[in-house]
Amino acid sequence: LHPGDLGYAMGSGILWDVYMELIEPIASRVPYMVTVGNHEYDYHGPHPNPSGEPMWAPQDEPGHAGGWGIGTQDSRGECGVPTAARFDGTGNGNGIFWYSFDEGLVHVVMLSSEHDWRPGSAMYAWLQADLAAVDRSATPWVVLNTHRMMYTTQLGEEGDKA
């Protein structure tokens, strides 16, 4: 499971190629499940959006003083396009941006931390339905992966200095 910041290519095709060669010995033998992080997705300006969902950044919300999310230059314009072209989700969510799968006794959920996860969002509605459908007798364990932590004080981070 690799939830974001995959190869830090940030717009460089050659770095993507090097990264893919580095993970090939592992990814060719076992499932290598990914979702995006800020270095695959975040970008400010006109760009493609393979997720089909509106751009969102928590710092756009009233009272939020953060400095991360959509609106930064972390991906240097990638916007998730190279990641979506190189990897697949399971088809039950929104591509590589959010999806789930069962592996043995574990139901695994992969979520993008770069999309809106609040009530009313597409990802939130999908997550509610996905978790409600989990058969806990068949998969008693549920593991959720996302690039950023959903709850944090962010003490000592750049956004706290604003």
Side-chain angles (χ1 to χ4, degrees), residues 60-78:
D60 293 340
E61 300 301 315
H64 190 284
W68 62 271
I70 304 307
T72 69
Q73 301 292 330
D74 290 349
S75 81
R76 305 243 169 82
E78 284 192 3

Side-chain angles (χ1 to χ4, degrees), residues 26-92:
I26 297 166
S28 65
R29 289 176 175 79
V30 297
Y32 193 82
M33 309 306 281
V34 306
T35 190
V36 296
N38 56 306
H39 289 282
E40 289 79 42
Y41 195 71
D42 294 357
Y43 183 67
H44 180 69
H47 47 49
N49 182 357
S51 75
E53 291 300 314
M55 297 296 176
W56 176 74
Q59 69 264 23
D60 293 340
E61 300 301 315
H64 190 284
W68 62 271
I70 304 307
T72 69
Q73 301 292 330
D74 290 349
S75 81
R76 305 243 169 82
E78 284 192 3
C79 316
V81 173
T83 310
R86 287 171 170 82
F87 297 97
D88 292 314
T90 59
N92 68 349

Side-chain angles (χ1 to χ4, degrees), residues 14-35:
I14 189 72
L15 289 180
W16 267 112
D17 290 346
V18 169
Y19 172 72
M20 296 303 284
E21 287 179 20
L22 287 171
I23 67 165
E24 184 178 14
I26 297 166
S28 65
R29 289 176 175 79
V30 297
Y32 193 82
M33 309 306 281
V34 306
T35 190

Side-chain angles (χ1 to χ4, degrees), residues 65-66 157-162:
E157 293 200 11
E158 201 59 38
D160 294 326
K161 299 173 187 172

Side-chain angles (χ1 to χ4, degrees), residues 96-143:
I96 57 159
F97 302 101
W98 53 88
Y99 62 93
S100 66
F101 59 93
D102 293 337
E103 182 62 40
L105 297 173
V106 182
H107 180 74
V108 180
V109 179
M110 302 293 282
L111 295 180
S112 165
S113 60
E114 310 309 300
H115 288 81
D116 192 352
W117 59 73
R118 298 168 302 164
S121 69
M123 185 165 46
Y124 186 91
W126 174 84
L127 180 60
Q128 277 191 310
D130 182 75
L131 293 177
V134 173
D135 178 355
R136 296 300 290 268
S137 63
T139 51
W141 297 94
V142 175
V143 173

